[in-house]
Structure formats: structure tokens, C-alpha cells
Amino acid sequence: MRLLHTMLRVGNLDRSIAFYTDILGMKLLRKHDYPEGQFTLAFVGYGDEATHSVIELTYNYGVEKYELGTAYGHIALGCDDVYATCEKIRAAGGKIVREPGPMKHGTTILAFVEDPDGYKVELLGVN
């Protein structure tokens, strides 16, 4: 078995696709509209679904906002330089909600950004 995808419900599919592709550098892998079910799915990621885990963005017609709840945590992305990645994200219009620096009670460098729907994305130094 392997992890295939994580699904996030979004209030504006085009805005979310732009965030994950233009700001975080993912690729739109596929998108399909299901008019009878009144929803559209878009899959984004850094590689093809055959070998990589991806994110499924689900837009339900007419729903512009969701309550995130208290159980959801975040998505984590590894990067070589958290500081430089945050600067690129900021320059592209992304929202940094925790500036880069060492984690509390540790030395791992991390930061958090927020997507257009309020989902947190952790950036972790992997070098």
C-alpha cells in the first residue's frame, strides 16, 4: 500500500489551483467536472500520481467556505532552504503565517504558509 492523495474541500477552485501551482510550484495533474454530482475535482502535485502522493482539491457547487475544524493539522512540504522558499512564496503573493526559524523545542527549520481557504502548509528543511 501507499498514500495516494489528501483531499481538501475548497471554496474557489481556480483560486486554489493558482495557489498550489503558481505559489507552491505544483502541477495541475488532472481536473474533472461532475455536473450530476455537482462537484469538480482537481489533482495537484509535484509528480505523477503513479509514483507520488498528491492533493485532491474538491469544489462542491455553491459552497464558498468551510469550517476547518480542530482535528485537521497541516500538509508538510520538504524544501532545501525554508528561508528562500518563504521569500519566493511571499513575492508571489502567498501568506506566511509562521516565519521561518527553528521549531519550538528543537532545531529543525520550519515555516507555515496558508492557502486561500485557510489550510496550513508546513515547509520543512530537508537538508
Side-chain angles (χ1 to χ4, degrees):
M1 284 204 256
R2 70 180 185 87
L3 181 63
L4 298 177
H5 65 261
T6 297
M7 185 271 265
L8 300 176
R9 290 182 175 91
V10 301
N12 180 310
L13 188 57
D14 292 333
R15 181 184 68 191
S16 293
I17 290 170
F19 173 80
Y20 285 97
T21 59
D22 298 343
I23 294 177
L24 293 185
M26 294 182 187
K27 292 183 172 107
L28 175 60
L29 303 171
R30 62 187 167 105
K31 180 179 169 184
H32 190 76
D33 192 36
Y34 296 87
E36 290 181 15
Q38 298 202 3
F39 66 94
T40 302
L41 303 180
F43 290 80
V44 295
Y46 292 111
D48 67 79
E49 294 175 76
T51 56
H52 293 78
S53 298
V54 300
I55 297 174
E56 173 190 330
L57 302 173
T58 299
Y59 172 69
N60 293 295
Y61 297 2
V63 181
E64 295 180 10
K65 185 170 175 67
Y66 289 93
E67 295 298 321
L68 298 185
T70 58
Y72 175 80
H74 60 268
I75 296 165
L77 302 177
C79 56
D80 291 330
D81 184 337
V82 176
Y83 295 94
T85 301
C86 281
E87 287 311 310
K88 288 179 186 175
I89 289 170
R90 192 183 329 273
K95 180 179 178 184
I96 309 296
V97 294
R98 197 264 197 204
E99 292 294 329
M103 67 180 273
K104 194 174 186 179
H105 310 297
T107 59
T108 302
I109 302 298
L110 59 85
F112 279 89
V113 300
E114 190 175 271
D115 87 350
D117 289 282
Y119 293 110
K120 302 297 187 279
V121 179
E122 180 181 30
L123 306 173
L124 282 171
V126 293
N127 52 13

